[in-house]
Amino acid sequence: MKHEHIVRSVEQGGIAWEMGIEPGDKLLAINGTEIEDVFDYHYLVNDEELLVLIEKTNGEQWELEIEKEYEEDLGIEFEQGLMDEYRSCRNKCIFCFIDQMPPGMRETLYFKDDDSRLSFLQGNYVTLTNMSDHDIDRIIRYHLEPINVSIHTTNPELRCKMLHNRFAGDALKKIDRLYEGGIQMNGQIVLCKGINDGEELERSIRDMSKYFPTLQSVSIVPVGLSKYRDGLYPLDPFTKEDALKVLDTIHRWQEKFYEEYGMHFIHAGDEWYILAEQEVPLANRYDGYLQLENGVGMLRLLHDEFEEAFLAATGDDKKRELSMATGVLAYPYIGQMLERMKEKFPNTKVHLYCIRNDFFGERITVAGLLTGQDLVAQLKGRALGETLLLPVSMFRNGEEVFLDDYTKEDVANALQVPIDIVKSSGQDFIEMIIDR
Ligand code: SF4
């Protein structure tokens, strides 16, 4: 199959720009090798000496000799982010969140990807049911890592049932291949009550530990249940007692692994601690926060960063009044941080609001799944002060748009208050309050 990679943009002052590569040009080959997708490109482009074959928009072919530092990028973005079509998943997982989304949202939000190239590039978790032997060969040959794997269970029959895919059990063997190839992996288990918890979870943890340290961490997160589950596999929410049991299991294994390997290996998502009404563990339990993006250790890190910045901050008695909104999950933690702020900033008043997720349903507690319409409905008429601070996780990557397509401006206009976005760091948290 012929692969066509059209240049979308060229970084000004970068290597490609200096060589005269322009938007619309096509990349045909590097060092005589045709590029299949971003895997090939990432690998081939690393060399110090490159022979890059480009087709200009007028049909001319240019052969460019490039000398550069090892791993230095050429500064090219392609029309297709993966330099290929995005691969959709072949599963029908009983816990899939996309199946639980309300109708009428942007079409791209319903796209189910399960693409190993996104795992490498963006840290997405893949089930391996979609990964061909050819992909695995390339991952090993090019040493592309880490690869994040949605394991869910190591029981092959149960995995077929959970992923609703008769090949899902066999796909676990691909972990063996990646392990033998020395490819660093992180795993995750989405825990479903009465399905892959209890004895099944014990089995999974035991089985996965044999891949340590190539498999460097495994997170266990509770299934997210929205209110749109009609016609879907019946799944029950976890209770406080369930969460306590899950944490017991995780902590017991953590101790064992820490004794044996000096790492905790298995990690509980923050949601378990909130559900169990327990304090989140200290930082050293997170082995360097290997799965922060997956909601593992975020609350601890935020707290510790805040404390560090708070201790370094010079207090003042300036009068300020502003507001902040977050989801049910982070609310008590943010509340504690604001209480602490009063010690050094006694005249700073921050109204903190806990936003219920009416859009997806109350069981969804993370700030990242709150929508513009819930913010407007629940903050209308409330004291908001000079500005409303919202966490960056509420917005789509790099854009000022909520999941329901409301923009930051829409919400600011509806609430008649300017909105500032707070990055997910304790330092930014303080700065945005005292020093905007
Ligand atoms: S792999 Fe499963 S959870 Fe992920 S998108 Fe596909 S069906 Fe949904």
Side-chain angles (χ1 to χ4, degrees), residues 23-218:
D25 292 351
K26 285 181 197 157
L27 170 68
L28 301 181
I30 295 180
N31 293 346
T33 306
E34 201 195 320
I35 313 286
E36 186 178 323
D37 62 11
V38 73
F39 270 178
D40 289 344
Y41 181 72
H42 262 264
Y43 177 72
L44 290 166
V45 88
N46 279 343
D47 271 359
E48 287 159 357
E49 288 177 15
L50 300 180
L51 197 60
V52 177
L53 185 62
I54 294 284
E55 187 178 287
K56 302 295 288 177
T57 42
N58 63 7
E60 254 177 48
Q61 290 199 355
W62 289 8
E63 204 167 46
L64 304 170
E65 278 181 43
I66 296 175
E67 273 190 36
K68 62 176 195 55
E69 301 287 318
Y70 183 69
E71 285 193 342
E72 196 183 355
D73 192 44
L74 297 184
I76 301 179
E77 270 196 41
F78 295 93
E79 293 273 331
Q80 287 179 308
L82 297 181
M83 304 176 76
D84 192 14
E85 299 289 324
Y86 282 71
R87 281 184 209 149
S88 65
C89 89
R90 294 190 187 148
N91 313 319
K92 199 159 183 342
C93 301
I94 58 172
F95 50 83
C96 182
F97 196 76
I98 294 171
D99 291 337
Q100 305 178 57
M101 297 213 301
M105 296 179 74
R106 225 170 322 118
E107 209 175 302
T108 49
L109 292 175
Y110 298 103
F111 182 71
K112 297 180 172 184
D113 75 69
D114 192 20
D115 196 313
S116 53
R117 294 158 311 177
L118 286 175
S119 183
F120 167 66
L121 288 175
Q122 297 178 4
N124 294 17
Y125 285 76
V126 288
T127 63
L128 306 176
T129 55
N130 219 358
M131 200 186 268
S132 63
D133 286 337
H134 173 61
D135 281 341
I136 294 198
D137 290 342
R138 289 193 302 156
I139 288 170
I140 294 172
R141 183 159 18 111
Y142 300 162
H143 216 82
L144 303 173
E145 61 181 11
I147 297 292
N148 292 339
V149 185
S150 281
I151 299 170
H152 305 316
T153 171
T154 54
N155 174 344
E157 292 89 59
L158 181 60
R159 196 165 192 261
C160 291
K161 177 181 156 184
M162 288 185 77
L163 274 59
H164 215 273
N165 178 339
R166 67 196 167 94
F167 302 107
D170 252 8
L172 286 168
K173 294 183 186 141
K174 293 174 189 167
I175 298 180
D176 290 295
R177 284 215 52 210
L178 293 171
Y179 171 73
E180 283 151 19
I183 297 300
Q184 207 149 65
M185 292 173 273
N186 296 294
Q188 77 160 351
I189 289 182
V190 173
L191 209 63
C192 299
K193 187 167 165 168
I195 310 273
N196 58 342
D197 54 355
E199 272 310 305
E200 290 292 346
L201 178 61
E202 298 280 343
R203 167 183 174 163
S204 295
I205 296 175
R206 212 171 20 248
D207 289 348
M208 287 182 307
S209 67
K210 68 174 191 249
Y211 299 115
F212 181 85
T214 308
L215 178 62
Q216 55 181 354
S217 70
V218 177

Side-chain angles (χ1 to χ4, degrees), residues 227-244:
K227 62 183 180 186
Y228 299 97
R229 290 204 50 88
D230 279 358
L232 299 178
Y233 191 94
L235 288 176
D236 292 324
F238 285 101
T239 61
K240 178 181 171 185
E241 285 64 39
D242 299 327
L244 283 165

Side-chain angles (χ1 to χ4, degrees), residues 310 314-321 338-350 433-434:
F310 179 74
T314 319
D316 67 40
D317 54 7
K318 229 170 120 183
K319 254 186 148 185
R320 304 177 182 90
E321 186 181 352
L338 291 175
E339 271 307 304
R340 188 109 162 89
M341 290 279 290
K342 286 185 191 158
E343 294 171 22
K344 283 192 176 176
F345 304 93
N347 293 328
T348 296
K349 171 98 195 121
V350 184
I433 293 174
I434 61 170

